[in-house]
């Protein structure tokens, strides 16, 4: 696709996690507003503290420069610049509680929320909302996203937020939901041991195109995607400028004094410009069962465990792409391990994401239902469907929970999972349309046993469907029967408005 000239995005106004906080410690504080007044007075206090994309981009750029200048030092000494960030996002119920105007114009999947979507997106039986853990078992109005380089900084950011929550009579819904980067050589990896966060779309005007810290062009293999895929009101994929938004309307404050008449509601409210939908999912991972499956199946298929695991995901645990390592991917050598040990260049920007599946149409290298092929089929989109560029996700997840202990008791088969064994991924992704992006990927691709082709099977990592859990390992019809290692234990659909819109929702006048 030709790259349209970089549009000017309101980077000072778009909330910063779209650019990627990329912090080792993150806390998600879920909130409910007992009244419009409580919610608005709370928001009025924090609107000016929300981190913007510009700040995050500039900080990340500075961090990279300082880090590069200090090779050979332990990681902890290399990145001496630090920052803590705060963002906020609202559920539909939260926007209603705040009296936000124009809510009729928001799409149905957002207003109904993730619980209502459960049967559609496959959150059934063990993953059904009735089994979700607190705080996801109640109505959530907002989530505050806190991020820091050090735990102590996260704590102080939280203390500050908590004091405001208490002062304004907002309800904090227990428990706090904490994510952290895994320690030591597992840094950057999720709990099954795979490096994560490698393949992301390059958003024109955010990741590429000229602002501070941006690269001039996408990395090899990275798609340049129009910002309108992630930011409401930004340039759409055809390069057309957005339709002029209706004028911004301040939400009238309900304090002090009686509520005034609300302003007329525009078709799609102007305050939603420069906002983005945030999908939040708490996904529990049964690491013991995953490891046991890999060991048993590798043996049965005469593959090494490294290759077996890579066949399910499409990458080795190091991140090395299976598609670029045909000798290992062919599985003819049962001793073949992770190829990046012998060839570290596979992990460089030049190679790690630079592949397509066209020459592997039958899936003899990367099974067609492997996780990264299901969730981004790259050049393998069936011709009748719109381009994969319409279904991209900006992933911002972080692992949660303790490390697997060497002598950990067997994972509970039934009943509650103790905190000491509850680990997984806090999956977050931003997009301009939950229906066309997250829900489409989860339903039409991940949960479909016939995508990309009939009988390929469901996504082995994240499909929640337990009916016919078959996975086509090789084109020669080697089928595996999968177990389920990832369970949904909570989640919600949120909207992250622009920073100025948070002020408007709080009833503040436009600056
Ligand atoms: Fe996935 N995993 O460890 O297996 N994911 N994911 N994911 N995921 C990716 O390329 C994982 C989840 C996507 O462009 C990698 O960054 C786990 C959900 C997409 O080539 C690994 C969980 C959804 C990509 C994992 C989980 C997605 C991707 C390779 C849950 C959306 C990029 C590293 C516990 C519905 C594909 C990388 C591309 C990559 C894992 C969740 C989507 C290792 C364990 C819920 C779009």
């Amino acid at each position: 696709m030709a790259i349209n000239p970089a549009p000017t995005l309101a980077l000072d106004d778009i909330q910063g996690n779209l650019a990627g906080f990329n912090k080792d410690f993150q806390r998600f504080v879920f909130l409910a507003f007992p009244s419009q007044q409580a919610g608005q007075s709370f928001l009025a206090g924090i609107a000016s503290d929300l981190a913007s994309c510009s700040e995050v981009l500039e900080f990340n750029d500075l961090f990279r420069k300082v880090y590069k200048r200090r090779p050979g030092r332990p990681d902890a000494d290399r990145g001496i610049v630090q920052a803590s960030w705060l963002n906020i996002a609202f559920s539909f119920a939260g926007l209603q509680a705040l009296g936000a105007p124009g809510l009729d114009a928001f799409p149905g999947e957002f207003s109904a929320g993730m619980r209502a979507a459960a049967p559609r997106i496959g959150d059934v039986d063990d993953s059904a909302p009735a089994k979700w853990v607190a705080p996801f078992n109640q109505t959530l109005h907002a989530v505050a996203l806190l991020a820091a380089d050090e735990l102590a900084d996260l704590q102080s950011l939280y203390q500050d937020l908590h004091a405001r929550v208490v002062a304004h009579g907002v309800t904090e819904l227990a428990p706090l939901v904490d994510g952290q980067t895994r320690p030591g050589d597992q840094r950057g990896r999720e709990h099954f041991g795979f490096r994560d966060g490698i393949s992301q779309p390059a958003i024109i005007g955010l990741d590429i195109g000229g602002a501070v810290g941006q690269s001039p062009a996408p990395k090899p293999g990275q798609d340049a995607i129009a910002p309108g895929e992630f930011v409401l009101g930004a340039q759409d994929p055809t390069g057309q400028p957005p339709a002029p938004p209706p004028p911004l309307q301040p939400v009238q404050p309900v304090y002090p004094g009686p509520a005034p008449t609300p302003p007329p509601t525009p078709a799609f409210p102007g305050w939603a410009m420069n906002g983005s939908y945030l999908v939040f999912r708490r996904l529990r991972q049964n690491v013991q069962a995953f490891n046991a499956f890999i060991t048993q199946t590798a043996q049965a298929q005469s593959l090494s465990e490294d290759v077996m695991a890579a066949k399910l995901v499409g990458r080795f645990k190091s991140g090395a792409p299976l598609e670029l390592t045909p000798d290992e991917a062919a599985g003819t050598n049962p001793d073949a391990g992770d190829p990046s040990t012998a060839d570290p260049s596979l992990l460089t920007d030049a190679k790690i994401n630079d592949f397509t599946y066209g020459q592997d149409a039958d899936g003899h290298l990367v099974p067609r239902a492997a996780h990264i092929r299901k969730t981004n089929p790259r050049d393998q989109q069936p011709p009748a469907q719109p381009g994969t560029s319409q279904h991209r996700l900006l992933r911002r997840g972080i692992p949660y929970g303790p490390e697997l202990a060497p002598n950990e008791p067997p994972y509970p088969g039934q009943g509650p999972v103790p905190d000491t064994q509850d680990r997984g991924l806090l999956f977050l992704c931003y997009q301009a349309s939950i229906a066309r992006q997250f829900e489409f990927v989860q339903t039409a691709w991940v949960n479909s046993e016939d995508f990309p082709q009939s009988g390929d099977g469901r996504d082995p990592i994240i499909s929640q469907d337990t009916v016919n859990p078959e996975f086509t390992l090789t084109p020669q019809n080697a089928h595996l029967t999968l177990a389920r290692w990832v369970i949904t234990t909570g989640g919600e659909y949120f909207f992250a408005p622009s920073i100025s819109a948070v002020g408007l929702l709080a009833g503040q006048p436009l600056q």
Side-chain angles (χ1 to χ4, degrees), residues 156-232:
S156 74
L157 189 63
Y158 167 68
Q159 289 310 333
D160 187 44
L161 182 90
H162 181 71
R164 298 183 206 201
V165 162
V166 173
H168 294 283
V170 165
T171 311
E172 199 177 284
L173 302 169
L176 298 167
V177 178
D178 282 347
Q180 65 279 315
T181 304
R182 295 186 56 213
D185 64 358
Q186 294 302 301
R187 191 184 163 80
R189 298 183 181 217
E190 53 66 56
H191 277 287
F192 292 149
F194 292 88
R195 190 173 148 199
D196 205 357
I198 300 168
S199 175
Q200 296 277 18
I203 303 172
I204 304 167
L206 181 69
D207 300 302
I208 52 170
V212 168
Q214 293 179 344
S215 327
K219 293 176 185 161
Q222 198 183 24
D223 293 325
I225 304 286
E229 292 295 308
F230 301 100
V231 178
L232 295 200

Side-chain angles (χ1 to χ4, degrees), residues 190 192 194-199 283 285 313 315 371-372 375-376 378 392-393 395 425 427 438 441-442 461-462 486:
E190 53 66 56
F192 292 149
F194 292 88
R195 190 173 148 199
D196 205 357
I198 300 168
S199 175
L283 299 174
Q285 292 174 249
V313 172
R315 291 185 183 276
H371 177 61
I372 66 163
T375 52
N376 180 12
R378 301 184 182 222
R392 300 304 302 276
L393 308 173
R395 292 175 299 135
L425 183 71
F427 174 85
F438 167 71
V441 171
Q442 184 75 39
I461 305 294
I462 56 165
V486 173

